Amino acid sequence: MSTSLNRGDLVVVDFRPVNPRAGVRPALVVQNDRDNRRLTNTVVAQISSNVRRAGEDTQLLIDQRHSDWTASGLRHPSAVICSNIYTISQDDVARVIGSLSDTTMQQVNERLRIVLGLSSDGNIPCQT
């Protein structure tokens, strides 16, 4: 992809190089903008139109009622699956289809914290 990616962009990705079963699907860029500019890889969270588990604390539903629905570029109600994060080559991004607001990205951050086991202050909590 020749265009610079930004955190919060919704993109269409060919996941076949990293997960052949995932195919081509939308994803959310979750990597910081500095690294998106200086590296050839980026970190994304997969997006699925299967919303059965969208109420889980590791997923975020984007549908017609969501304030970012129009800006997202999604065609169907979808879940950002924060437990399915991948490092991909930026060359595997076919195109940018939309973006999410800072407010929505804060909701994504909370879900990523849960997935990664980080406390709200950024520290890894002790496991007993």
Side-chain angles (χ1 to χ4, degrees), residues 49-65:
S49 60
N50 180 346
V51 296
R52 282 193 326 255
R53 296 184 183 153
E56 291 182 5
D57 59 2
T58 59
Q59 297 192 20
L60 178 66
L61 178 64
I62 307 291
D63 64 7
Q64 295 90 337
R65 297 170 299 197

Side-chain angles (χ1 to χ4, degrees), residues 7-125:
R7 188 170 197 278
D9 282 347
L10 279 95
V11 294
V12 175
V13 176
D14 182 355
F15 281 101
R16 291 175 293 197
V18 293
N19 183 353
R21 291 182 47 205
V24 177
R25 65 171 55 233
L28 173 65
V29 176
V30 296
Q31 179 169 272
N32 68 75
D33 289 339
R34 177 177 168 266
D35 285 344
N36 284 327
R37 284 188 300 275
R38 68 183 191 93
L39 302 175
T40 59
N41 290 337
T42 192
V43 179
V44 298
Q46 280 189 346
I47 295 175
S48 175
S49 60
N50 180 346
V51 296
R52 282 193 326 255
R53 296 184 183 153
E56 291 182 5
D57 59 2
T58 59
Q59 297 192 20
L60 178 66
L61 178 64
I62 307 291
D63 64 7
Q64 295 90 337
R65 297 170 299 197
H66 194 281
S67 60
D68 285 352
W69 171 251
T70 303
S72 75
L74 295 168
R75 296 182 185 159
H76 308 284
S78 300
V80 178
I81 308 172
C82 293
S83 57
N84 282 356
I85 53 177
Y86 289 85
T87 300
I88 61 163
S89 170
Q90 290 187 15
D91 288 339
D92 293 330
V93 174
R95 66 188 179 281
V96 176
I97 60 171
S99 64
L100 297 181
S101 67
D102 289 343
T103 300
T104 300
M105 288 307 294
Q106 288 299 321
Q107 296 170 341
V108 170
N109 290 348
E110 289 303 316
R111 286 152 178 84
L112 288 169
R113 280 188 189 100
I114 292 166
V115 167
L116 298 173
L118 301 175
S119 66
S120 60
D121 61 8
N123 294 319
I124 298 174

